[in-house]
Amino acid sequence: MLDEAPTAFDALTWRNRFAALPAAFGTRLAPTPLSAPYLVAASAPSAALLGLDTAQLAGAASIAALAGSRVPRGAQPMAAVYSGHQFGIWAGQLGDGRAHLLGGVETAEGLIELQLKGAGKTPYSRMGDGRAVLRSSIREYLCSEAMHGLGIPTTRALSIAGSDQPVIRESVETAAVVLRMAPSFVRFGSFEHWTANNRFDELKILADYVIDAFYPAARDAKNPYQALLAAVTERTARLMAQWQAVGFCHGVMNTDNMSILGLTLDYGPFGFLDGFDANHICNHTDQQGRYSYARQPAVGRWNCYCLAEALMPLIDDVEGAEGALEPFKSVFSEAMDATVHAKLGLVDRLPADQALIDGMYALLQEARADFTLFFRRLADLDVESARPGQAVRDLFLERERFDAWAVDYRSRLAREAESAEARRVAMRAVNPRYVLRNHLAEEAIVRARQQDYAEIERLAQVLRTPYVDQPEFDHYADLPPTWASELEVSCSS
Ligand code: AMP
Ligand code: MG
């Protein structure tokens, strides 16, 4: 292979710190080449993070690397082992069944690990084929970009490499590989794995690795492992508030999909709320609604308890662990309260606001009003008069129900010191105009299946600045078409 043209990644400074952990943490193995790969998408901002531009990714050698058909010089590919709770039930050993960690690359934002998703079987593939389909790869790529654009912690996506190689799901689809990036792909389940197997030496090695690399302040605490749990709990609580604030539903909040860094991780059957329904279930496979929109914060907390249990052999202090978990509720409530006030354009927080907020959710639920457009249009509400024809009001079939709530909202706004214009600007900065609605991803997927990849990048570009009005892309902010309600996303990916 050495006589081949270099890939764009060969010149990067690699430091494979996860691969430097003991051999038990995974299995070293190269990805399985994808036949005749081509570039489907490449993200300019993600490339820039690595000090690359997308033109460098478009050469044959680099595409081969993005597809798992070439291993960049300096990379040390491996699949990591982990376990986890799936849908509340202990699932035992899982692991990177279709992910290959290539290694870490030095960037301006610190060491970033590069991982290929869908590049073939590993010892952890169980019944799976180690592959991902184009459809789910486009969804992961777009949502990584969208969440980052929204300012929500997330793994990033650099590229999608496609191939005509068939992959069998409910029907025959084609294979694709996403290159994703994060400071770490360690999950809650990475810790659960060692505790469940009574491997406390490895548990400690992993915890020390995570503390030293990502939570250095915990090292100085009296009980560093308790401090680690406290810090992860806090980040997770904040992440839940950020998801709720934009109507993001993850779909599969199993402990193996929970990032130890509080990142949104593993995009599968996710969805953004269209019409508001607190009980919305985005994952068609989740028949009980365990991971419904309204339950996400409670599940996030439950998952932190699983992490606590995994860390117990190190923390060795039940009260200490409880103390580390305890703030979840208050951190989440505080973050949620702050964010809902900001979404409503309220700078002050008054005791009576809760009734206004409860009334708003009840109104949205009853009317199934569009969650994203409601807040975006609310910024333009005429504070002085309740004249008809206002855009936010038009989201409600029973306009008088909105009018009744708006009376309270208007009188509450009257107590704010800020000017109407300042409020409008502030509200637009926190209420996105564009989110990755299922039907938008679906349109990009349908076109990609016809070899038209331009829509992926166009949509990604809009989603990168979701708080900015982009008049030429107005249709991306439209209400979903009626066919959108027929779309089903499931764990099959
Ligand atoms: P997920 O629900 O996508 O987070 O995946 C749960 C587990 O199943 C992880 O260990 C994945 O690596 C594994 N997995 C999912 N899909 C596949 C596949 N097509 N081939 C191999 N392993 C898979
Ligand atoms: Mg997963």
Side-chain angles (χ1 to χ4, degrees):
M1 289 252 179
L2 283 177
D3 55 332
E4 289 183 19
T7 78
F9 306 96
D10 298 9
L12 301 177
T13 307
W14 290 80
R15 187 156 67 85
N16 306 321
R17 66 177 164 193
F18 190 84
L21 293 175
F25 281 83
T27 304
R28 293 203 181 178
L29 83 170
T32 308
L34 195 62
S35 63
Y38 42 81
L39 193 61
V40 169
S43 160
S46 298
L49 180 55
L50 301 179
L52 301 173
D53 61 51
T54 51
Q56 288 171 280
L57 303 180
S62 295
I63 294 176
L66 297 175
S69 305
R70 278 276 301 272
V71 175
R73 213 166 294 155
Q76 272 177 301
M78 66 172 290
V81 66
Y82 52 82
S83 295
H85 282 84
Q86 298 186 315
F87 291 90
I89 294 162
W90 178 244
Q93 183 184 300
L94 303 164
D96 289 334
R98 52 167 170 176
H100 290 73
L101 185 67
L102 294 178
V105 163
E106 297 287 3
T107 76
E109 292 180 20
L111 199 69
I112 300 286
E113 311 231 284
L114 308 190
Q115 190 189 66
L116 298 177
K117 182 170 175 180
K121 281 191 195 173
T122 77
Y124 317 110
S125 300
R126 296 176 293 157
M127 308 297 281
D129 57 7
R131 291 295 179 193
V133 296
L134 180 64
R135 159 180 58 89
S136 64
S137 303
I138 291 172
R139 284 171 50 85
E140 170 136 22
Y141 176 86
L142 286 173
C143 205
S144 308
E145 294 292 295
M147 293 298 264
H148 184 68
L150 287 164
I152 299 177
T154 177
T155 60
R156 304 283 303 273
L158 176 68
S159 58
I160 307 171
S163 161
D164 294 343
Q165 193 171 313
V167 173
I168 297 161
R169 295 293 180 260
E170 279 83 2
S171 62
V172 181
E173 303 189 44
T174 60
V177 173
V178 175
L179 189 150
R180 45 184 202 176
M181 317 192 297
S184 175
F185 290 93
V186 169
R187 300 132 194 277
F188 289 14
S190 310
F191 290 88
E192 291 178 282
H193 180 73
W194 299 121
T195 305
N197 288 290
N198 297 316
R199 300 271 293 265
F200 305 124
D201 291 346
E202 283 85 356
L203 177 70
K204 184 170 183 306
I205 290 169
L206 182 64
D208 286 336
Y209 166 80
V210 169
I211 288 172
D212 292 342
F214 308 110
Y215 294 95
R219 180 60 66 205
D220 303 326
K222 203 169 80 207
N223 185 329
Y225 307 107
Q226 181 184 323
L228 171 65
L229 176 63
V232 177
T233 298
E234 184 174 333
R235 281 202 201 180
T236 305
R238 289 191 194 287
L239 181 69
M240 293 305 108
Q242 287 179 290
W243 286 1
Q244 300 305 96
V246 296
F248 174 78
C249 305
H250 181 284
V252 201
M253 289 178 65
N254 295 336
T255 55
D256 52 301
N257 291 338
M258 296 296 290
S259 156
I260 203 68
L261 301 184
L263 308 173
T264 312
L265 170 68
D266 273 9
Y267 292 96
F270 66 84
F272 284 83
L273 295 179
D274 290 314
F276 183 79
D277 177 8
N279 301 313
H280 179 66
I281 304 164
C282 65
N283 178 359
H284 194 65
T285 315
D286 180 14
Q287 283 168 0
Q288 309 296 316
R290 178 179 171 84
Y291 299 140
S292 70
Y293 170 76
R295 295 192 66 181
Q296 294 189 125
V299 173
R301 182 163 165 265
W302 190 88
N303 288 341
C304 288
Y305 274 78
C306 291
L307 178 64
E309 219 167 273
L311 287 171
M312 254 348 268
L314 299 176
I315 297 177
D316 197 25
D317 172 0
V318 174
E319 275 175 28
E322 282 170 356
L325 291 165
E326 216 271 324
F328 185 101
K329 275 190 171 169
S330 57
V331 169
F332 171 76
S333 302
E334 164 57 30
M336 204 62 221
D337 195 50
T339 205
V340 174
H341 274 82
K343 286 177 80 68
L344 288 172
L346 303 174
V347 176
D348 303 322
R349 289 204 248 163
L350 307 179
D353 290 347
Q354 198 52 51
L356 181 76
I357 291 167
D358 292 346
M360 173 196 78
Y361 280 122
L363 174 76
L364 292 175
Q365 178 76 32
E366 186 191 76
R368 297 287 198 273
D370 189 83
F371 186 71
T372 302
L373 290 182
F374 171 75
F375 290 104
R376 189 74 185 182
R377 292 186 182 180
L378 198 61
D380 294 320
L381 185 76
D382 189 337
V383 182
E384 301 302 322
S385 89
R387 65 182 166 75
Q390 299 195 50
V392 61
R393 193 171 181 266
D394 294 342
L395 292 171
F396 296 84
L397 269 179
E398 295 178 73
R399 305 242 187 336
E400 52 296 344
R401 302 301 292 255
F402 170 77
D403 292 341
W405 179 79
V407 168
D408 295 340
Y409 180 55
R410 282 194 175 89
S411 68
R412 174 62 185 82
L413 285 178
R415 300 176 63 179
E416 291 278 308
E418 258 61 25
S419 71
E421 185 49 29
R423 174 178 63 85
R424 199 168 292 137
V425 170
M427 285 177 78
R428 286 205 183 129
V430 295
N431 293 313
R433 181 168 173 82
Y434 310 98
V435 293
L436 181 58
R437 298 174 188 266
N438 268 340
H439 77 275
L440 297 176
E442 188 64 20
E443 278 172 10
I445 290 164
V446 168
R447 292 204 208 179
R449 284 179 173 151
Q450 298 155 3
Q451 281 81 49
D452 172 6
Y453 305 123
E455 179 61 14
I456 300 172
E457 218 34 59
R458 207 161 28 237
L459 183 51
Q461 198 186 325
V462 174
L463 295 170
R464 282 182 190 119
T465 51
Y467 301 105
V468 179
D469 283 330
Q470 302 169 60
E472 69 278 31
F473 296 122
D474 246 13
H475 60 285
Y476 289 117
D478 286 348
L479 285 168
T482 42
W483 58 263
S485 60
E486 317 275 300
L487 289 172
E488 281 176 5
V489 285
S490 68
C491 281
S492 157
S493 61

